[in-house]
């Protein structure tokens, strides 16, 4: 990508002289109000050398004039700036330009930034295919209107200069951006070009920009330092920032500015520093070629584009992406409705995706092995194990493996309501050498299952010792648990029965996610429920708004917990309410008979935002304790998708993405 101006210096001179002529007319007139504001006539061939048939247009970022001031408090300057801007955008759109970069506003007063924002909004309508990038500094230093004689800002009258001020707040640029994009209703063709300073702002502000639609990273020469050999390099924090920003789904372009001329482009006579592909017509003798090689080594050509070479070097030496990133590459911030595995019968391919998880099944095997050992101490007989919601059988395999590794015999059951998965389960029982026809497969809704019929008494259903299930959603209780597990608890041994998992918790935190918010806004009003439903999504381009001062990590708080098995009295009361009889009390909260009210939860949590921002919704996660061994020296076996604990509890688990609860008004 290359940048180029839309208009020429001649146009700039024409505009400035028309402003000067206006001021002269005003001072010569007895009534200043009688002099009309300057009008800028349409572009002439002298004003621009951009032409529609330019083959490079798709790789060009055209820049609107940086010498205008759309946010000027002087109405004359704002008026002229708007005309220049409109001429430039309209002509660039006419020529078929795809990308336009616009200098961000340079004043702090929000009343004038809104004028700037309005001009941007109009220009988005002028060019229906143009993508606009607003160039803003990541770290605002002294933000002053350019006062030189070649800019329109320099011609603003003194009486209008009172609003000018110096921005010291690190969030100034972001506030400015937020105002512009809110005015433009999170327009999908409006993005940021961020200028990277040598000294980066704190990680909090780096994350804030990460969540925004970064189209370009502008790295000026002044951001580079020189290493011991005199080569330009970027410091370590900037390298880390680039690594992070380059993992955005829409990878930002990097533009180097003020790094000198491009050989062969700016100076057609200069050699281009690229290896020659031409083949010499005469083959050299071996002696000739050896001496040539020596000669070449001695006079290593000077790198004419050291900044570019360094950026290419960084690109080549990027660290590999974490497993979860590689797995989820296509799913980042992609909105999915949570699965409905009770109403729907999952496809084989969906099970296959679950089964790719390198961690989840391993952890289940450990949990079942620990539960088997504890159970075996109490019962000197084979342990009855049932996997409820067995799918294609991966947890059944893990139970059998746990039995083999502990040497504790099991009587294995697999319960599944999906008739298609049931076919596979039966086949697997016949063909899988580990299963070896030892598994009893039952096709039923687990809530209707009477329990295992053992060979010792084939007429009376027995009780299950260990009930294994994987029914959790991204927010723990948003799929099949806890209702299905409550419904099957009657088959679990009332004294010593173990449920794997034994408990799970839901967690959430406020986040900024402009990308998802923009997508939901863009869906239009036909999608009536779009703000009312949670979405499962691999949250990626977001910013945690509340960071714990103590740990420096996101403040992700626990909403509620569920445990299994439930105390029998709770289930007895639920059964009583289900019938709606006289003893059942009144009806439930939402008009039902109240059988499920023991599973209702609410919470009221307080979060403190570390700095100002926009909360677009809540990021939700879960944690679960699969099993806590009775031996207190052993740690509980847990799974987690909570970013604060997942590394420690179940690093590299990929089965669940987080959940996002959108806020309509943010
Ligand atoms: C999330 S999948 C887990 C499948 C498998 N355990 C695994 O880890 O790949 C949940 C399974 O539970 C089954 N299921 C859901 N509700 C059920 C119910 N009430 N009774 C029996 N099976 C059920 C679904 O059909 C699905 O196969």
């Amino acid at each position: 990508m290359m940048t180029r101006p839309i208009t020429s210096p001649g146009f700039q001179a024409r505009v400035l002289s028309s402003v000067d002529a206006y001021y002269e007319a005003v001072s010569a007139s007895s009534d200043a109000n009688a002099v009309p504001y300057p009008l800028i006539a349409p572009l002439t061939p002298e004003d621009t050398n951009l032409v529609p048939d330019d083959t490079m247009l798709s790789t060009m970022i055209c820049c609107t004039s940086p010498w205008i001031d759309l946010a000027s408090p002087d109405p004359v300057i704002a008026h002229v700036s708007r005309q220049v801007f409109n001429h430039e955008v309209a002509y660039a759109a006419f020529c078929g330009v795809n990308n336009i970069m616009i200098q961000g506003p340079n004043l702090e007063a929000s009343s004038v930034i809104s004028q700037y924002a309005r001009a941007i909004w109009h220009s988005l309508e002028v060019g229906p295919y143009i993508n606009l990038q607003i160039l803003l500094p990541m770290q605002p230093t002294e933000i002053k209107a350019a006062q030189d004689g070649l800019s329109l800002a320099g011609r603003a009258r003194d009486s209008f200069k009172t609003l000018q001020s110096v921005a010291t707040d690190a969030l100034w640029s972001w506030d400015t951006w937020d105002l512009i994009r809110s005015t433009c209703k999170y327009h999908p063709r409006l993005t940021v070009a961020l200028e990277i300073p040598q000294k980066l702002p704190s990680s909090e502000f780096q994350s804030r920009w990460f969540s925004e639609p970064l189209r370009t990273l502008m790295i000026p020469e002044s951001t580079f330092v020189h290493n011991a050999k005199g080569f330009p390099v970027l410091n370590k924090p900037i390298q880390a920032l680039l690594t992070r920003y380059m993992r955005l789904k829409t990878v930002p372009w990097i533009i180097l500015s003020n790094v000198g001329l491009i050989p062969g482009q700016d100076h057609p006579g200069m050699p281009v520093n690229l290896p020659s592909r031409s083949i010499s017509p005469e083959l050299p003798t071996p002696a000739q070629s050896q001496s040539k090689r020596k000669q070449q080594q001695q006079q290593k050509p000077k790198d004419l584009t050291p900044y570019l070479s360094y950026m290419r070097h960084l690109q080549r030496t990027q660290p590999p992406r974490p497993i979860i990133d590689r797995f989820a590459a296509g799913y980042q911030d992609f909105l999915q409705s949570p699965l409905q595995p009770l109403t729907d019968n999952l496809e084989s391919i969906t099970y296959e995706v679950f089964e790719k998880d390198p961690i989840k099944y391993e952890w289940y095997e450990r949990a079942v092995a620990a539960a088997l050992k504890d159970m075996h101490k109490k019962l000197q007989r084979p342990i009855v194990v049932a996997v409820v919601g067995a799918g294609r059988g991966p947890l059944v395999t893990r139970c059998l493996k746990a039995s083999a590794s502990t040497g504790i015999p099991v009587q294995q059951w697999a319960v599944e309501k999906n008739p298609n998965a049931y076919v596979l389960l039966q086949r697997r029982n016949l063909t899988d050498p580990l299963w070896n026809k030892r598994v009893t497969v039952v096709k039923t809704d687990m809530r209707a299952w009477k329990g295992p019929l053992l060979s010792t008494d084939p007429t009376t259903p027995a009780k299950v010792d260990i009930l294994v299930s994987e029914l959790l959603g991204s927010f723990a209780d948003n799929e099949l648990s806890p209702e299905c597990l409550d419904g099957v608890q009657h088959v679990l041994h009332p004294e010593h029965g173990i449920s794997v998992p034994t408990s799970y918790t839901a967690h959430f935190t406020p986040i900024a996610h402009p990308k998802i918010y923009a997508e939901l806004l863009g869906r239009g009003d036909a999608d009536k429920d779009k703000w009312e439903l949670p979405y499962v999504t691999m949250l990626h381009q977001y910013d945690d708004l509340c960071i714990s001062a103590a740990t420096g990590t996101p403040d992700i708080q626990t909403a509620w917990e569920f445990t299994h098995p439930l105390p029998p009295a709770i289930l007895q009361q639920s059964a009583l309410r289900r019938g709606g009889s006289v003893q059942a009390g009144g009806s439930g909260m939402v008009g039902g008979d109240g059988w499920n009210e023991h599973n209702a939860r609410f919470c009221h949590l307080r979060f403190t935002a570390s700095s100002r921002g926009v909360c677009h919704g809540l990021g939700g996660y879960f944690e679960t304790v699969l099993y806590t061994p009775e031996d207190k020296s052993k740690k509980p076996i847990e799974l987690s998708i909570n970013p604060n604990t997942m590394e420690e509890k179940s690093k590299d688990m990929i089965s669940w993405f987080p959940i996002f609860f959108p806020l309509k008004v943010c």
Side-chain angles (χ1 to χ4, degrees), residues 24 44 104 142 209 249 264 267 369 385 413-414 435 509 549 564 596 606 649:
E24 275 165 29
T44 66
E142 293 248 298
W209 283 115
K249 201 167 175 187
H267 277 201
V385 180
W413 294 70
W435 290 38
T509 188
H564 296 282
N596 198 26
R606 215 168 261 279
K649 295 186 174 173

Side-chain angles (χ1 to χ4, degrees), residues 183-259:
T183 306
C184 298
K185 301 187 172 59
Y186 285 73
H187 202 290
R189 286 187 284 112
L190 182 64
T191 57
V192 183
L194 196 63
E195 190 174 286
I196 309 295
Q198 194 180 85
K199 187 168 174 351
L200 292 179
S202 71
S203 60
E204 202 179 317
F205 300 128
Q206 295 177 31
S207 298
R208 176 63 53 83
W209 283 115
F210 178 82
S211 70
E212 298 296 350
L214 291 179
R215 194 67 209 84
T216 296
L217 303 178
M218 178 77 85
I219 311 183
E221 195 275 337
S222 56
T223 299
F224 285 83
V225 288
H226 287 84
N227 69 10
K229 288 187 181 154
F231 290 113
V233 293
L234 294 169
N235 61 35
K236 288 267 183 276
I238 298 183
Q239 290 181 32
L241 177 98
L242 290 182
T243 299
R244 184 169 183 211
Y245 284 4
M246 288 298 130
R247 287 184 181 165
L248 283 168
K249 201 167 175 187
T250 307
V251 183
W253 295 320
I254 294 180
I255 293 187
L256 303 177
S257 68
N258 291 338
V259 293

